[in-house]
Amino acid sequence: RQRKDNHKEVERKRRAGINSAILELQTLVPNCEGKGVNKGDIIYKAAQYIRDLKTNEANNIEKWTLEKLLTDQALNDLSAQIEASRREVEKLRE
């Protein structure tokens, strides 16, 4: 009897932990508000939301990398122009 009661208590705590985590996901994931959303839907939408976030992050990294490369190239071009102008100024001074 004691063993059975202990098991019931452990299972109750486990379910309470799972329910608590699912409720937290419900508050974090868009379009999961309301009492009509079941736990399976919350978990599915959370996984979908994480996939979307990862895709957006990858797209942003790609975009920022391209922008950085273009900015570095423009900076190098401008530095070369400045150096050429300095040399021209030095020639004119001589």
Side-chain angles (χ1 to χ4, degrees):
R1 174 89 177 136
Q2 180 68 30
R3 186 173 168 206
K4 188 176 181 181
D5 289 343
N6 286 343
H7 178 70
K8 283 182 182 180
E9 182 64 21
V10 167
E11 279 297 305
R12 187 189 65 75
K13 287 180 181 179
R14 184 187 67 80
R15 283 191 308 274
I18 291 170
N19 288 335
S20 173
I22 290 174
L23 288 175
E24 185 174 354
L25 280 175
Q26 186 176 19
T27 63
L28 295 172
V29 176
N31 302 322
C32 277
E33 299 84 17
K35 294 186 178 186
V37 182
N38 67 43
K39 295 174 191 175
D41 288 341
I42 293 169
I43 293 171
Y44 175 78
K45 287 180 181 183
Q48 187 177 20
Y49 183 62
I50 291 169
R51 273 192 303 276
D52 291 344
L53 288 175
K54 289 177 85 172
T55 300
N56 288 340
E57 180 186 29
N59 290 340
N60 285 336
I61 288 172
E62 184 178 329
K63 182 178 79 173
W64 296 332
T65 302
L66 179 60
E67 287 176 359
K68 184 182 182 314
L69 288 173
L70 291 173
T71 303
D72 288 347
Q73 183 180 1
L75 184 62
N76 288 337
D77 291 346
L78 289 172
S79 295
Q81 286 178 2
I82 290 171
E83 188 59 36
S85 296
R86 284 183 182 158
R87 285 192 298 265
E88 188 177 332
V89 167
E90 280 299 318
K91 284 182 184 179
L92 291 173
R93 283 185 182 166
E94 289 176 357

